[in-house]
Amino acid sequence: MAVSDAVGGSGGRGSTSGVWRNWAGNVAARPARSVAPASTEELADAIQAAAADGLTVKAAGTGHSFAPAAATDGLLIRPDRLTGIRGIDRAAGTVTVAAGTPLRHLNETLAAHGLSLTNMGDIMEQTVSGATATGTHGTGRDSASLAAQITALELVTADGSRLTCSADERPEVFAAARLGLGALGVISELTFAVEPEFLLAAREEPMPYDEVTDRFDELVAENEHFEFYWFPHTGSCNTKRNNRSQGPAAPPGKVSGWVEDELLSNGVFQLVCTVGRAVPAAIPGIAKLSSRALSARTYTDIPHRVFTSPRRVRFVEMEYALPRTAAVAALGELRALVERSDFRISFPVEVRTAPADDIPLSTASGRDTVYVAVHMFRGTPHQAYFAAAERIMTAHGGRPHWGKLHTRDAAYLAEAYPRFAEFTAVRDRLDPDRRFANPYLRRVLGD
């Protein structure tokens, strides 16, 4: 990931910025200036100064969104110094953390205190505010996204006001801001529900596509966390089942873990994708060979070591959230699309689930959800494949992941989200002048 070279030393007007790019390299922006506030006060000062100069404001995390949600030609708020754990309340079962704190630091600090989040996504490089603002999620039968685990937050609005929000204090702002796309203001701190650290028993094993889809409802119901990857051009999947365990801990061996997570999942996969980009006709054959090499493994460890994995092969991604009942049909249509087309897809299709939640712009808002994600290796033409996949997803009432590639606009999304108008009403009240707008937000939320 490349970010702006300039870091403002205070919450004032900051310094002129270079080009900011996201992790995948598909989004670039040249903000007028950049600041890295170290406190909520400095953050508020920076926003007020930007307003005085007529600049729009966007906060960037670590750039792991594929959508241009953080792109700006105004003021870029960088997360580098707004970091750290601000408090752990064991009695309440919460942790309060500055908005720019990387998930890795949060998870490792919680582990040091014998605590854990209930569920999480599969990478730890994101900031806590960037991850929640775009709806980052893992997979879970009963436990939902990171945003659904927020119990309170602090938001700095367009006039520099500092709002503390929870289910009891400014509940309408809290409901919207848990997943706010950066449209309501800039989050300065978040409070998450946590629980005593537990162990997860992980079981990863290959399974034929037909078996996975025939047993999909059963596998979701029987496991706390179930997901699978289907390898296009094959009838093979890799499944992952994570369930709580009484132990004892039995983490992967250092050598075997390195072979699986670094050598195969990153080193060899990078090579395979590079070959496929150069010689697309070779991809189906490589996919068949790779799928035959899949092997089963089991291990037991603390949550963040089971849920997350290193991701060093760079790609672009589109993900849609569908009604849970549409999972098998949509995936079948996607498989048929690949089989009848000349697409050559080196990346697996990822399928995860989430329970319904009560966040207005959550992709799981009000309905049990299945996520279907398609990927392409960075530098490989992806537009035609993604467009064809998107037609399938929207035909099933799909909601695009806010931080990933899609072409939907406010007219579509207002129909897809029953509480869309509730969110935009809060936006109209908190940011009537669209201080936090950019072209992406104008497209997905309207103006």
Side-chain angles (χ1 to χ4, degrees):
M1 177 203 65
V3 296
S4 167
D5 294 330
V7 179
S10 72
R13 278 173 164 73
S15 54
T16 301
S17 294
V19 175
W20 176 91
R21 289 185 175 86
N22 68 340
W23 177 83
N26 68 303
V27 176
R30 186 179 289 277
R33 63 177 183 249
S34 169
V35 296
S39 67
T40 302
E41 291 75 20
E42 289 184 3
L43 173 60
D45 288 346
I47 293 172
Q48 288 177 315
D53 292 342
L55 297 177
T56 56
V57 178
K58 296 307 298 177
T62 53
H64 271 76
S65 287
F66 303 93
T72 183
D73 59 3
L75 174 68
L76 182 73
I77 306 287
R78 291 183 53 181
D80 310 56
R81 299 168 67 225
L82 196 63
T83 62
I85 308 299
R86 293 185 171 177
I88 294 175
D89 187 333
R90 289 183 176 275
T94 61
V95 59
T96 300
V97 60
T101 306
L103 286 167
R104 179 179 301 280
H105 178 63
L106 172 60
N107 286 328
E108 291 174 350
T109 302
L110 288 175
H113 285 81
L115 299 168
S116 178
L117 295 166
T118 298
N119 197 358
M120 61 194 77
D122 65 357
I123 63 170
M124 294 199 292
E125 279 58 49
Q126 297 159 296
T127 62
V128 293
S129 57
T132 55
T134 53
T136 293
H137 61 90
T139 189
R141 181 189 61 201
D142 309 306
S143 52
S145 69
L146 280 172
Q149 297 170 66
I150 296 171
T151 63
L153 58 87
E154 182 180 72
L155 178 73
V156 180
T157 58
D159 62 0
S161 297
R162 182 172 167 174
L163 305 182
T164 55
C165 309
S166 68
D168 299 318
E169 185 177 10
R170 301 184 180 92
E172 74 290 348
V173 176
F174 175 69
R178 282 182 290 170
L179 199 167
L181 306 181
L184 308 179
V186 179
I187 298 285
S188 52
E189 72 174 30
L190 292 163
T191 300
F192 293 94
V194 294
E195 59 177 301
E197 189 174 74
F198 52 93
L199 291 171
L200 283 173
R203 177 181 174 189
E204 302 174 6
E205 66 176 329
M207 188 179 291
Y209 173 95
D210 290 340
E211 182 179 355
V212 176
T213 53
D214 287 347
R215 297 178 56 200
F216 178 72
D217 291 338
E218 168 198 337
L219 290 165
V220 171
E222 289 182 350
N223 295 281
E224 293 175 77
H225 309 276
F226 173 72
E227 64 183 303
F228 70 93
Y229 298 82
W230 165 59
F231 295 85
H233 312 294
T234 80
S236 301
C237 299
N238 198 34
T239 62
K240 299 180 70 173
R241 285 171 266 191
N242 300 327
N243 292 285
R244 295 197 185 208
S245 168
Q246 295 301 308
K254 287 186 178 180
V255 173
S256 62
W258 178 84
V259 168
E260 185 71 29
D261 295 326
E262 288 292 349
L263 179 61
L264 297 180
S265 297
N266 287 291
V268 173
F269 189 49
Q270 172 82 36
L271 178 62
V272 165
C273 290
T274 301
V275 171
R277 183 173 61 190
V279 189
I283 288 175
I286 292 172
K288 289 180 173 64
L289 285 173
S290 299
S291 66
R292 291 192 194 110
L294 294 172
S295 59
R297 67 169 177 165
T298 60
Y299 57 96
T300 301
D301 212 334
I302 60 176
H304 80 261
R305 294 177 186 159
V306 174
F307 285 130
T308 67
S309 303
R311 292 282 182 265
R312 309 196 201 288
V313 181
R314 304 211 178 195
F315 55 88
V316 291
E317 180 179 358
M318 181 180 72
E319 181 179 72
Y320 264 81
L322 310 178
R324 182 82 57 81
T325 53
V328 174
L331 193 62
E333 292 168 30
L334 185 63
R335 185 183 185 189
L337 166 72
V338 172
E339 289 177 346
R340 71 172 180 265
S341 72
D342 59 0
F343 297 140
R344 296 295 178 260
I345 314 301
S346 59
F347 256 82
V349 174
E350 183 179 24
V351 180
R352 296 177 287 176
T353 67
D357 64 41
D358 63 351
I359 302 173
L361 290 191
S362 166
T363 46
S365 184
R367 71 186 188 193
D368 290 342
T369 293
V370 64
Y371 294 100
V372 180
V374 297
H375 315 69
M376 288 288 275
F377 185 46
R378 186 171 69 172
T380 303
H382 65 272
Q383 291 84 352
Y385 173 46
F386 281 17
E390 189 172 42
R391 286 191 290 272
I392 293 171
M393 303 306 161
T394 55
H396 288 281
R399 299 167 178 169
H401 189 299
W402 297 105
K404 299 180 183 179
L405 297 177
H406 67 93
T407 66
R408 300 299 89 189
D409 60 14
Y412 176 92
L413 295 164
E415 295 294 322
Y417 286 88
R419 298 174 66 185
F420 190 85
E422 178 183 330
F423 182 92
T424 55
V426 174
R427 181 194 187 208
D428 288 342
R429 178 159 63 85
L430 294 183
D431 189 21
D433 298 325
R434 300 298 185 255
R435 182 68 50 205
F436 302 107
N438 68 2
Y440 177 69
L441 292 187
R442 292 181 191 280
R443 172 163 69 87
V444 299
L445 296 177
D447 201 25

